[in-house]
Amino acid sequence: MSQNIADYNRQINKKINTEQIEQIVKAIISGKYSWACVLLLRFSGHNPIEYIPYRTYIRLLKNNCLLAGSQQNKTPKKDVEMFNLKSNWIHF
């Protein structure tokens, strides 16, 4: 129980910086509203996989992170940030 409270407090104190806000706004302007929601959740310290289905999340990642990097050759290749893919939806 105390771990849940500590996690909640850590998420509340998470600040979104200017570069992250620009990414969210760019997604909204491009009409990628689902991707903007994923970014907002990630940048605010939440795990998007707890709020959207796993397959939808993976599709959004492929369409916006992985493919966007191969389409834009104007910047050097950056390392892809690892995501925590724990899901409460999948039970084995």
Side-chain angles (χ1 to χ4, degrees):
M1 180 67 176
S2 62
Q3 182 181 4
N4 290 339
I5 293 172
D7 290 340
Y8 180 74
N9 287 336
R10 192 174 324 125
Q11 290 175 354
I12 290 175
N13 294 329
K14 181 84 174 172
K15 303 260 188 221
I16 299 176
N17 64 36
T18 307
E19 181 181 325
Q20 293 170 333
I21 291 174
E22 288 175 2
Q23 289 180 20
I24 294 169
V25 170
K26 185 177 177 182
I28 292 169
I29 291 171
S30 301
K32 298 180 178 183
Y33 305 112
S34 298
W35 180 240
C37 291
V38 168
L39 292 175
L40 184 62
L41 286 167
R42 281 186 45 220
F43 295 153
S44 63
H46 297 280
N47 186 359
I49 207 74
E50 293 178 5
Y51 299 94
I52 61 174
Y54 175 81
R55 292 177 68 183
T56 302
Y57 180 65
I58 295 302
R59 179 181 49 80
L60 288 168
L61 284 178
K62 285 180 182 178
N63 291 341
N64 295 288
C65 285
L66 303 177
L67 294 179
S70 65
Q71 292 172 354
Q72 297 174 354
N73 293 327
K74 58 185 173 187
T75 58
K77 187 175 181 180
K78 295 181 180 179
D79 293 332
V80 176
E81 181 181 334
M82 297 302 289
F83 298 101
N84 184 3
L85 296 178
K86 289 183 182 177
S87 174
N88 295 332
W89 294 35
I90 303 173
H91 297 286
F92 294 102

